[in-house]
Amino acid sequence: MNPTLTDAFGRGIEYLRLSVTDRCDLRCFYCMPEGFKDFETPAHWLTFDEIERVIGAFGRLGVRRVRITGGEPLVRKGLGELTARLGQLPGIDDLSLSTNAVQLARHARVLRQGGVQRLNVSLDTLDAERFAQITGGGKLHKVIDGLMAAKAEGFFPIKINMVAMKGVNDDEFEAMFEFCRQHGFTLRFIETMPMGSTGRSAQGQYLSLQTVKERLTQRYALVPAVMDGGGPARYMKLADSEMRIGFITPMSQHFCDTCNRVRLSVDGTLYMCLGQEHNYPLRELLRSGISDAELEQHIIKAVNLKPERHEFGDKPEQSIRFMSMTGG
Ligand code: SF4
């Protein structure tokens, strides 16, 4: 079914990123400020019924892909029940989850049974000490246990998202490549973005993926490739195997021209762009008793607010939210 939702630039919107919480059990230095406590109050969280209503409306408007994000989605209680309900909705044929995998070993089976097909796992290092430094005390072995549990449950593909950072983990790209090759994971590199104050301060570690792509292409004879998923990654593959490597380059080679997504935050606000503040609050409308037809009209109106592109390069101070507020 072709997307019926198009923005003012003629881009079809077929993908919704759903943030079910702004909380997280890690504190990655480029994401959530140390000691941050100003989380959204639970009374403002969309309930599962409200989330199901909104996703149902997006499904009727041609959105077929839903990625569940956070903060860290696995900290939201009852997530297994929610994924099972979303997996049943007409039109939604691609349900995925982004996670830091710290609690994945415990939840993998119920999520798989609930209809989540594929996973994106954030993992910036295979060194336990460095992992603790990057994440503010996280335990690497829990993430590895989570990945092995997910593999055993048959999630496919499992994509490893590695934020490439100069002087932090740029000596580990080949090791992560080998880890992914060994386990049949897809490796994706992501450039740091000036999301909020934390993202801006992490720009000191910014590393253009154009150099990383050259480095790995020389080492592994990579060739261009494609991969389904609807996201912004540009893929390469090994000439002699199906292993994919993706490059997500918002800074060095943006992909806004083909953007196909909007984001729903935990408090029911639709954000039209990761790098801009254009938004449309839905929670009070939902709680005021609007009909499904009226809800669809509000979504169409909201999508028309979608900006052409981010301005991370020209106006980095403009993006106020840090990553955990709406997820990647
Ligand atoms: S920065 Fe905004 S317009 Fe560009 S790809 Fe991301 S969400 Fe789309």
Side-chain angles (χ1 to χ4, degrees), residues 191 206-210 248-254:
E191 288 173 345
Y206 170 70
L207 182 59
S208 164
L209 290 185
Q210 307 314 322
I248 301 176
T249 57
M251 306 302 286
S252 64
Q253 190 187 7
H254 77 74

Side-chain angles (χ1 to χ4, degrees), residues 250-309:
M251 306 302 286
S252 64
Q253 190 187 7
H254 77 74
F255 30 76
C256 301
D257 309 346
T258 55
C259 184
N260 62 354
R261 52 202 165 273
V262 292
R263 293 169 173 81
L264 183 67
S265 68
V266 64
D267 71 347
T269 304
L270 266 181
Y271 286 93
M272 303 326 135
C273 169
L274 184 65
Q276 304 272 18
E277 295 303 321
H278 302 60
N279 68 77
Y280 200 103
L282 291 177
R283 186 183 70 247
E284 293 314 321
L285 291 167
L286 289 166
R287 294 180 183 179
S288 72
I290 57 170
S291 69
D292 283 351
E294 288 167 326
L295 174 57
E296 287 169 31
Q297 288 312 311
H298 281 292
I299 291 172
I300 291 167
K301 228 168 112 190
V303 165
N304 265 309
L305 299 174
K306 188 171 171 64
E308 187 173 13
R309 52 167 298 201

